[in-house]
Amino acid sequence: MEMIQQRFRHRRADRITISDDADSLCSLPRLDYSDAFRAATNRVQAPEAWARAVLEGPPAPIPACLHFLWAAVVRLDLAPRADHSRVLGWKITARSESGIVLDADAPGMRVQLVALVEPTAVSWTTFMYFKNWFGRLSFKLLATTHRALAAYLLSRAAS
């Protein structure tokens, strides 16, 4: 049992402080919320491949549910899941050799997701700008679920 726990610990995504590299990629007019997670990995992939592994890689019902909830409940302006120029409907707004920025807008908020690749780890950062009280309230209701889901999806992609 201890060996299984140690193995999982190496793949678990840990909450970290926002890196300067991720922060420099954020283009929101104001920052109202941010969080970041990092997972150790021995997989080497481009940032876009990591973003796809995190959002599109889980078993079939999860990406479909995420897309539906983000589009229907949060009202993010996501493209259809079949649009392969985007990552699960999120618009790609910046790319580099070590990072990618995904962007989505809603009536109450604007969100940017940043995947950064390191030699032995990958990090996933969420940045949010709340346009009004509805955006702030919406996220307040979903914040705990968001953090748990972000850590789970990154852990799963990194293993």
Side-chain angles (χ1 to χ4, degrees), residues 141-159:
L141 296 172
L142 299 170
T144 302
T145 302
H146 157 77
R147 286 186 289 272
L149 194 57
Y152 165 75
L153 293 173
L154 182 60
S155 296
R156 189 180 187 294
S159 58

PDB file of all heavy atoms in Angstrom, residues 141-159:
ATOM      1  N   LEU A 141     -19.428  30.035  -6.321  1.00  0.00           N
ATOM      2  CA  LEU A 141     -20.175  28.790  -6.167  1.00  0.00           C
ATOM      3  C   LEU A 141     -19.413  27.579  -6.706  1.00  0.00           C
ATOM      4  O   LEU A 141     -19.629  26.458  -6.267  1.00  0.00           O
ATOM      5  CB  LEU A 141     -21.538  28.899  -6.860  1.00  0.00           C
ATOM      6  CG  LEU A 141     -22.493  29.943  -6.277  1.00  0.00           C
ATOM      7  CD1 LEU A 141     -23.716  30.091  -7.173  1.00  0.00           C
ATOM      8  CD2 LEU A 141     -22.887  29.586  -4.856  1.00  0.00           C
ATOM      9  N   LEU A 142     -18.533  27.812  -7.670  1.00  0.00           N
ATOM     10  CA  LEU A 142     -17.826  26.720  -8.342  1.00  0.00           C
ATOM     11  C   LEU A 142     -16.351  26.603  -7.952  1.00  0.00           C
ATOM     12  O   LEU A 142     -15.660  25.701  -8.434  1.00  0.00           O
ATOM     13  CB  LEU A 142     -17.915  26.911  -9.862  1.00  0.00           C
ATOM     14  CG  LEU A 142     -19.314  26.909 -10.458  1.00  0.00           C
ATOM     15  CD1 LEU A 142     -19.276  27.343 -11.918  1.00  0.00           C
ATOM     16  CD2 LEU A 142     -19.951  25.548 -10.313  1.00  0.00           C
ATOM     17  N   ALA A 143     -15.847  27.489  -7.106  1.00  0.00           N
ATOM     18  CA  ALA A 143     -14.413  27.566  -6.837  1.00  0.00           C
ATOM     19  C   ALA A 143     -13.816  26.266  -6.303  1.00  0.00           C
ATOM     20  O   ALA A 143     -12.768  25.811  -6.791  1.00  0.00           O
ATOM     21  CB  ALA A 143     -14.121  28.705  -5.865  1.00  0.00           C
ATOM     22  N   THR A 144     -14.445  25.656  -5.337  1.00  0.00           N
ATOM     23  CA  THR A 144     -13.902  24.426  -4.757  1.00  0.00           C
ATOM     24  C   THR A 144     -13.868  23.313  -5.794  1.00  0.00           C
ATOM     25  O   THR A 144     -12.873  22.589  -5.914  1.00  0.00           O
ATOM     26  CB  THR A 144     -14.737  23.992  -3.527  1.00  0.00           C
ATOM     27  OG1 THR A 144     -14.709  25.061  -2.587  1.00  0.00           O
ATOM     28  CG2 THR A 144     -14.172  22.737  -2.893  1.00  0.00           C
ATOM     29  N   THR A 145     -14.933  23.195  -6.562  1.00  0.00           N
ATOM     30  CA  THR A 145     -14.986  22.186  -7.628  1.00  0.00           C
ATOM     31  C   THR A 145     -13.926  22.471  -8.680  1.00  0.00           C
ATOM     32  O   THR A 145     -13.254  21.559  -9.158  1.00  0.00           O
ATOM     33  CB  THR A 145     -16.387  22.154  -8.265  1.00  0.00           C
ATOM     34  OG1 THR A 145     -17.341  21.882  -7.244  1.00  0.00           O
ATOM     35  CG2 THR A 145     -16.475  21.111  -9.358  1.00  0.00           C
ATOM     36  N   HIS A 146     -13.769  23.752  -9.040  1.00  0.00           N
ATOM     37  CA  HIS A 146     -12.753  24.126 -10.037  1.00  0.00           C
ATOM     38  C   HIS A 146     -11.364  23.670  -9.601  1.00  0.00           C
ATOM     39  O   HIS A 146     -10.634  23.048 -10.378  1.00  0.00           O
ATOM     40  CB  HIS A 146     -12.756  25.649 -10.258  1.00  0.00           C
ATOM     41  CG  HIS A 146     -11.457  26.150 -10.793  1.00  0.00           C
ATOM     42  ND1 HIS A 146     -11.092  25.996 -12.114  1.00  0.00           N
ATOM     43  CD2 HIS A 146     -10.402  26.753 -10.176  1.00  0.00           C
ATOM     44  CE1 HIS A 146      -9.870  26.503 -12.285  1.00  0.00           C
ATOM     45  NE2 HIS A 146      -9.441  26.958 -11.125  1.00  0.00           N
ATOM     46  N   ARG A 147     -10.980  23.973  -8.372  1.00  0.00           N
ATOM     47  CA  ARG A 147      -9.633  23.632  -7.900  1.00  0.00           C
ATOM     48  C   ARG A 147      -9.421  22.118  -7.855  1.00  0.00           C
ATOM     49  O   ARG A 147      -8.376  21.616  -8.271  1.00  0.00           O
ATOM     50  CB  ARG A 147      -9.360  24.282  -6.546  1.00  0.00           C
ATOM     51  CG  ARG A 147      -9.122  25.789  -6.668  1.00  0.00           C
ATOM     52  CD  ARG A 147      -8.701  26.401  -5.349  1.00  0.00           C
ATOM     53  NE  ARG A 147      -9.788  26.455  -4.390  1.00  0.00           N
ATOM     54  CZ  ARG A 147     -10.657  27.453  -4.286  1.00  0.00           C
ATOM     55  NH1 ARG A 147     -10.578  28.487  -5.098  1.00  0.00           N
ATOM     56  NH2 ARG A 147     -11.602  27.409  -3.364  1.00  0.00           N
ATOM     57  N   ALA A 148     -10.410  21.388  -7.374  1.00  0.00           N
ATOM     58  CA  ALA A 148     -10.290  19.929  -7.318  1.00  0.00           C
ATOM     59  C   ALA A 148     -10.196  19.346  -8.729  1.00  0.00           C
ATOM     60  O   ALA A 148      -9.390  18.452  -8.991  1.00  0.00           O
ATOM     61  CB  ALA A 148     -11.480  19.324  -6.577  1.00  0.00           C
ATOM     62  N   LEU A 149     -10.995  19.861  -9.636  1.00  0.00           N
ATOM     63  CA  LEU A 149     -10.999  19.363 -11.008  1.00  0.00           C
ATOM     64  C   LEU A 149      -9.698  19.710 -11.733  1.00  0.00           C
ATOM     65  O   LEU A 149      -9.137  18.871 -12.440  1.00  0.00           O
ATOM     66  CB  LEU A 149     -12.198  19.942 -11.758  1.00  0.00           C
ATOM     67  CG  LEU A 149     -12.560  19.305 -13.080  1.00  0.00           C
ATOM     68  CD1 LEU A 149     -12.821  17.813 -12.918  1.00  0.00           C
ATOM     69  CD2 LEU A 149     -13.789  19.988 -13.656  1.00  0.00           C
ATOM     70  N   ALA A 150      -9.195  20.917 -11.533  1.00  0.00           N
ATOM     71  CA  ALA A 150      -7.928  21.321 -12.171  1.00  0.00           C
ATOM     72  C   ALA A 150      -6.787  20.406 -11.712  1.00  0.00           C
ATOM     73  O   ALA A 150      -5.999  19.922 -12.527  1.00  0.00           O
ATOM     74  CB  ALA A 150      -7.603  22.774 -11.862  1.00  0.00           C
ATOM     75  N   ALA A 151      -6.723  20.152 -10.418  1.00  0.00           N
ATOM     76  CA  ALA A 151      -5.675  19.261  -9.892  1.00  0.00           C
ATOM     77  C   ALA A 151      -5.839  17.842 -10.420  1.00  0.00           C
ATOM     78  O   ALA A 151      -4.858  17.201 -10.830  1.00  0.00           O
ATOM     79  CB  ALA A 151      -5.703  19.262  -8.365  1.00  0.00           C
ATOM     80  N   TYR A 152      -7.064  17.346 -10.450  1.00  0.00           N
ATOM     81  CA  TYR A 152      -7.321  15.986 -10.948  1.00  0.00           C
ATOM     82  C   TYR A 152      -6.947  15.869 -12.431  1.00  0.00           C
ATOM     83  O   TYR A 152      -6.263  14.906 -12.829  1.00  0.00           O
ATOM     84  CB  TYR A 152      -8.796  15.609 -10.747  1.00  0.00           C
ATOM     85  CG  TYR A 152      -9.187  14.408 -11.554  1.00  0.00           C
ATOM     86  CD1 TYR A 152      -8.796  13.123 -11.165  1.00  0.00           C
ATOM     87  CD2 TYR A 152      -9.927  14.535 -12.728  1.00  0.00           C
ATOM     88  CE1 TYR A 152      -9.134  12.009 -11.912  1.00  0.00           C
ATOM     89  CE2 TYR A 152     -10.267  13.428 -13.483  1.00  0.00           C
ATOM     90  CZ  TYR A 152      -9.875  12.170 -13.082  1.00  0.00           C
ATOM     91  OH  TYR A 152     -10.197  11.077 -13.834  1.00  0.00           O
ATOM     92  N   LEU A 153      -7.403  16.801 -13.245  1.00  0.00           N
ATOM     93  CA  LEU A 153      -7.141  16.721 -14.690  1.00  0.00           C
ATOM     94  C   LEU A 153      -5.648  16.806 -14.996  1.00  0.00           C
ATOM     95  O   LEU A 153      -5.146  16.064 -15.854  1.00  0.00           O
ATOM     96  CB  LEU A 153      -7.911  17.814 -15.430  1.00  0.00           C
ATOM     97  CG  LEU A 153      -9.428  17.692 -15.426  1.00  0.00           C
ATOM     98  CD1 LEU A 153     -10.077  18.921 -16.041  1.00  0.00           C
ATOM     99  CD2 LEU A 153      -9.881  16.421 -16.150  1.00  0.00           C
ATOM    100  N   LEU A 154      -4.931  17.679 -14.294  1.00  0.00           N
ATOM    101  CA  LEU A 154      -3.491  17.776 -14.522  1.00  0.00           C
ATOM    102  C   LEU A 154      -2.787  16.501 -14.047  1.00  0.00           C
ATOM    103  O   LEU A 154      -1.915  15.980 -14.743  1.00  0.00           O
ATOM    104  CB  LEU A 154      -2.912  19.008 -13.826  1.00  0.00           C
ATOM    105  CG  LEU A 154      -1.423  19.224 -14.031  1.00  0.00           C
ATOM    106  CD1 LEU A 154      -1.080  19.407 -15.513  1.00  0.00           C
ATOM    107  CD2 LEU A 154      -0.954  20.428 -13.228  1.00  0.00           C
ATOM    108  N   SER A 155      -3.162  15.992 -12.883  1.00  0.00           N
ATOM    109  CA  SER A 155      -2.559  14.744 -12.369  1.00  0.00           C
ATOM    110  C   SER A 155      -2.754  13.620 -13.341  1.00  0.00           C
ATOM    111  O   SER A 155      -1.826  12.846 -13.631  1.00  0.00           O
ATOM    112  CB  SER A 155      -3.189  14.366 -11.032  1.00  0.00           C
ATOM    113  OG  SER A 155      -2.920  15.308 -10.057  1.00  0.00           O
ATOM    114  N   ARG A 156      -3.975  13.509 -13.858  1.00  0.00           N
ATOM    115  CA  ARG A 156      -4.297  12.432 -14.803  1.00  0.00           C
ATOM    116  C   ARG A 156      -3.473  12.550 -16.077  1.00  0.00           C
ATOM    117  O   ARG A 156      -2.944  11.581 -16.590  1.00  0.00           O
ATOM    118  CB  ARG A 156      -5.789  12.482 -15.120  1.00  0.00           C
ATOM    119  CG  ARG A 156      -6.261  11.298 -15.897  1.00  0.00           C
ATOM    120  CD  ARG A 156      -7.757  11.389 -16.182  1.00  0.00           C
ATOM    121  NE  ARG A 156      -8.203  10.170 -16.777  1.00  0.00           N
ATOM    122  CZ  ARG A 156      -7.843   9.720 -17.968  1.00  0.00           C
ATOM    123  NH1 ARG A 156      -6.996  10.411 -18.673  1.00  0.00           N
ATOM    124  NH2 ARG A 156      -8.294   8.595 -18.440  1.00  0.00           N
ATOM    125  N   ALA A 157      -3.345  13.762 -16.596  1.00  0.00           N
ATOM    126  CA  ALA A 157      -2.580  13.985 -17.833  1.00  0.00           C
ATOM    127  C   ALA A 157      -1.098  13.697 -17.625  1.00  0.00           C
ATOM    128  O   ALA A 157      -0.429  13.188 -18.531  1.00  0.00           O
ATOM    129  CB  ALA A 157      -2.784  15.410 -18.325  1.00  0.00           C
ATOM    130  N   ALA A 158      -0.578  13.994 -16.454  1.00  0.00           N
ATOM    131  CA  ALA A 158       0.856  13.838 -16.187  1.00  0.00           C
ATOM    132  C   ALA A 158       1.265  12.398 -15.924  1.00  0.00           C
ATOM    133  O   ALA A 158       2.434  12.061 -16.030  1.00  0.00           O
ATOM    134  CB  ALA A 158       1.265  14.711 -15.003  1.00  0.00           C
ATOM    135  N   SER A 159       0.294  11.534 -15.584  1.00  0.00           N
ATOM    136  CA  SER A 159       0.667  10.153 -15.259  1.00  0.00           C
ATOM    137  C   SER A 159       0.716   9.268 -16.493  1.00  0.00           C
ATOM    138  O   SER A 159       0.325   9.620 -17.552  1.00  0.00           O
ATOM    139  CB  SER A 159      -0.295   9.577 -14.237  1.00  0.00           C
ATOM    140  OG  SER A 159      -1.612   9.615 -14.696  1.00  0.00           O
TER     141      SER A 159
END
